[in-house]
Amino acid sequence: MTDATRIDEKILKIRMLLLDVDGVMTDGGILYGSGGGELKCFHIHDGMGVTLARMGGLRVGIITGRSSDIVTRRAGELRVDAVYQGAFHKLAHYEEALRTFQMKDEAVCYMGDDLLDLVLLERAGLSAAPADARPEIRRIV
């Protein structure tokens, strides 16, 4: 069986897309305003990807280690199904998403870029990472 065939088989089972935020849905930078506010730069292409995934029938969720009103706003704009913020230990939130949406690991595609994502990338049926993810993450996906 070729790698392409194995990936195709995994893709056919996917029913939920779970995403990290910083470095996945953003460029990874965090800007602090003089008034104490926080800014993130979301890419419009990622938003279209989330919208198309939802239109294709996938559930979409966010699991991020940081907490931000900006993430809440972006998730609302994209009509994301579930948002878990302040999730330093992401596995508990991943398992909550599985229970909430009655999914199994093989039905989940998880995309992350940093060490906190490692355990989820190993569990998910399909794992993905941006090209500039940490080397440890790129090896797994």
Side-chain angles (χ1 to χ4, degrees), residues 9-136:
E9 288 177 0
K10 288 182 176 191
I11 289 170
L12 291 173
K13 296 176 184 175
I14 300 303
R15 300 291 175 259
M16 174 178 263
L17 174 62
L18 291 175
L19 303 164
D20 179 32
V21 174
D22 296 311
V24 173
M25 296 180 72
T26 72
D27 61 6
I30 300 168
L31 302 173
Y32 294 103
S34 60
E38 182 178 299
L39 303 172
K40 296 178 186 281
C41 184
F42 291 93
H43 200 292
I44 197 75
H45 294 169
D46 296 332
M48 180 56 72
V50 167
T51 299
L52 292 173
R54 288 185 58 259
M55 289 173 65
L58 296 183
R59 295 284 190 169
V60 178
I62 290 172
I63 303 176
T64 180
R66 295 179 51 84
S67 294
S68 170
D69 292 338
I70 297 165
V71 171
T72 302
R73 178 179 172 186
R74 185 65 172 151
E77 290 173 353
L78 297 175
R79 298 186 179 151
V80 169
D81 297 294
V83 180
Y84 305 98
Q85 296 194 67
F88 187 79
H89 299 287
K90 293 185 175 189
L91 184 57
H93 300 286
Y94 173 87
E95 290 175 342
E96 182 180 337
L98 292 181
R99 283 190 305 277
T100 299
F101 298 103
Q102 300 177 346
M103 301 280 176
K104 295 186 180 196
D105 289 328
E106 60 267 12
V108 176
C109 175
Y110 183 77
M111 186 171 194
D113 70 322
D114 210 344
L115 296 177
L116 291 181
D117 301 306
L118 195 59
V119 67
L120 304 188
L121 292 165
E122 291 175 333
R123 282 261 318 249
L126 182 65
S127 60
D132 64 349
R134 292 185 56 95
E136 303 93 326

